[in-house]
Structures are given as C-alpha cells and as structure tokens.
C-alpha cells in the first residue's frame, strides 16, 4: 500500500495558511488533514466549512477532513460542498454509523471512521468492509502537540490483521504525536497514512515534510 503524509493544518500559522499548505504539497505531502472541532465532542473549537472552501485550489492534495463533532451526519452535505474528499466521522459521535457512512458515500466522498484511544478496535468489525479509511487516534482528540500513546500500536496491528483476514485494503491513518523519531513504529504496525501537525508546522515546513517523505519512500 502507498504510504502517505497528511499534514494537520491545526498547527499551521493561519496568517499564511495558503502559503504553508503549498509548501507541504510542493515537498510531497499527498493528503491535507483538516481537523474540525465543535467544542462538544472535543473541548476545543477549530474551523469549518468556510475555511475548507477558501483553501480549495491552493494545492491538488486530497482533502482529508476529520470531523471531531457530535452527530456529524448533519454536516455531510456541507463538507461535500466545501470540498472534502475523505470525510471521517467518530464512531463515538454517531447515533447510527451506518446512516452516516451511507450518506457520505451517497455524496460521492470516501468514508473514514475514527476511534478514540479508549474505544476498542473490535468495535469497527461491523463496518470493516464499508470504510475506505480507518483513523486510529494516538492521542486524545482535541489538541495538537500531545505525546503519542504507545498502546495505539497494538490497535493498529490488530486492525491491520482484521482487514488482511478479510482481504480488505482500507487505509489505516494514525493521528497524534507522530514525529520523525517514531513514525517507523507506526508504519511497522501497519498504518499507511500518517497525520502530523506539530512535527510539520513547527520549524521549517519544507525540511519537516522532506524528513517524513524520505522515511515513507524508503519504507
Ligand atoms: C487532534 C487532531 C490531530 C492533531 C495532530 O485532535 O486530530 O490531527 O492535530 O497534531 P500533532 O501531530 O501535533 O499531535
Ligand atoms: Zn485529526
């Protein structure tokens, strides 16, 4: 499976957001991770449809939208309109996950399902063949800059084994506390899409992205 980097713009400098997105793209990051927070499902509030709409056309990156919002089915159409390619919802935030997945697909987007650190990976079994990307949170959602939770590696391994057993090749994306120093452990566990916020946007963006791309390409 192709290994991709998905810089999380939550850690970007919003005074120069377009310029920073372009730098991540020019240095090889194929996805752009867009962290939507509602202040209910997670304590923070970040940004939403108007910002996603405003960055359309800045790069040709895959818009990887991570909804950390309650009852996300309410926003499927709006994020489709704003330019989402992947729309990822939290299992814990959906009354009816099947209905959410059906609506995401009905609007022509790829569906992602995310689980928080405390949610067992086995809870994904009923929807294993209906999702294009699983997002394993390796930090408690809500903030950038947190430390990677090591127990996440077992969840990634278990999920990859569950998918392999059924001959499914969905993306496994991992999100939170990933740096050049620990990204290989995440890849070894079976992930193929790497989210990085602080590790990309703090310091030299070009060098940070290149550092990840070297590791991903050599893997
Ligand atoms: C946290 C977000 C993550 C976060 C990653 O709730 O889902 O995408 O921005 O940031 P870092 O890479 O700094 O942990
Ligand atoms: Zn995220």
């Amino acid at each position: 499976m192709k290994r991709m980097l998905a810089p999380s713009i939550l850690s970007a400098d919003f005074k120069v957001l377009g310029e920073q997105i372009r730098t991540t793209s020019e240095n090889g990051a194929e996805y752009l991770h867009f962290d939507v927070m509602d202040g209910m499902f997670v304590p923070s509030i970040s940004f939403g449809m108007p910002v996603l709409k405003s960055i359309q056309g800045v790069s040709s990156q895959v818009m990887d939208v991570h909804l950390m919002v309650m009852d996300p089915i309410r926003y499927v159409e709006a994020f489709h309109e704003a330019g989402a390619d992947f729309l990822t919802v939290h299992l814990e935030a959906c009354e009816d996950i099947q209905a959410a997945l059906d609506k995401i697909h009905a609007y022509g987007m790829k569906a992602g399902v995310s689980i928080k650190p405390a949610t067992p990976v086995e809870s994904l079994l009923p929807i294993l063949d209906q999702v294009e990307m699983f997002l394993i949170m390796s930090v408690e959602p809500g903030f950038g800059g947190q430390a990677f939770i090591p127990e996440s590696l077992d969840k990634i391994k278990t999920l990859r084994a569950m998918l392999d057993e059924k001959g499914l090749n969905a993306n496994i994306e991992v999100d939170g506390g990933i740096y050049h120093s620990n990204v290989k452990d995440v890849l070894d566990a079976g992930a193929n899409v790497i989210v990085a916020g602080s590790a990309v946007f703090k310091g030299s963006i070009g060098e940070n992205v290149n550092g990840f791309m070297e590791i991903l390409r050599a893997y």
Side-chain angles (χ1 to χ4, degrees):
M1 294 195 85
K2 197 166 179 325
R3 287 160 182 90
M4 271 107 30
L5 180 67
S8 161
I9 64 166
L10 188 67
S11 302
D13 176 350
F14 281 74
K15 291 191 299 298
V16 285
L17 180 59
E19 184 186 313
Q20 294 199 338
I21 291 172
R22 245 188 310 278
T23 304
T24 68
S25 180
E26 285 158 4
N27 284 281
E30 296 96 344
Y31 283 34
L32 194 68
H33 190 76
F34 192 87
D35 281 314
V36 182
M37 300 179 182
D38 66 354
M40 297 294 285
F41 181 70
V42 292
S44 320
I45 293 176
S46 59
F47 36 73
M49 297 77 86
V51 175
L52 180 61
K53 197 170 183 66
S54 70
I55 63 174
Q56 293 316 296
V58 168
S59 74
S60 55
Q61 291 164 304
V62 174
M63 292 294 124
D64 165 25
V65 177
H66 178 194
L67 294 183
M68 288 164 276
V69 306
M70 289 308 292
D71 200 17
I73 195 169
R74 297 173 292 154
Y75 299 102
V76 170
E77 182 176 5
F79 275 99
H80 166 66
E81 290 302 308
D85 295 307
F86 275 91
L87 194 60
T88 296
V89 297
H90 268 268
L91 187 66
E92 306 92 346
C94 293
E95 269 171 53
D96 179 345
I97 186 67
Q98 187 63 58
L101 295 176
D102 293 345
K103 191 163 187 182
I104 292 168
H105 287 139
Y107 277 93
M109 294 178 283
K110 292 195 172 102
V113 174
S114 182
I115 51 172
K116 299 200 292 188
T119 303
V121 70
E122 292 74 14
S123 57
L124 297 170
L125 271 167
I127 51 166
L128 217 49
D129 60 351
Q130 301 187 53
V131 173
E132 285 75 37
M133 181 155 74
F134 292 96
L135 172 49
I136 301 290
M137 291 307 295
S138 40
V139 295
E140 203 55 42
F143 303 91
Q146 302 176 75
F148 183 87
I149 298 171
E151 290 73 12
S152 315
L153 295 174
D154 285 339
K155 288 176 80 169
I156 300 160
K157 281 181 195 134
T158 305
L159 176 56
R160 186 51 80 195
M162 285 158 55
L163 290 166
D164 287 349
E165 197 185 317
K166 294 183 185 288
L168 299 168
N169 60 3
N171 283 340
I172 297 181
E173 182 176 48
V174 184
D175 183 2
I178 301 180
Y179 294 82
H180 294 161
S181 57
N182 64 357
V183 65
K184 275 211 186 82
D185 299 337
V186 178
L187 296 168
D188 286 347
N192 70 303
V193 183
I194 301 296
V195 177
S198 317
V200 165
F201 290 103
K202 304 301 174 214
S204 160
I205 298 172
E207 282 173 27
N208 293 339
V209 172
N210 276 311
F212 276 112
M213 295 315 294
E214 269 170 38
I215 296 167
L216 293 179
R217 286 181 182 134
Y219 197 80

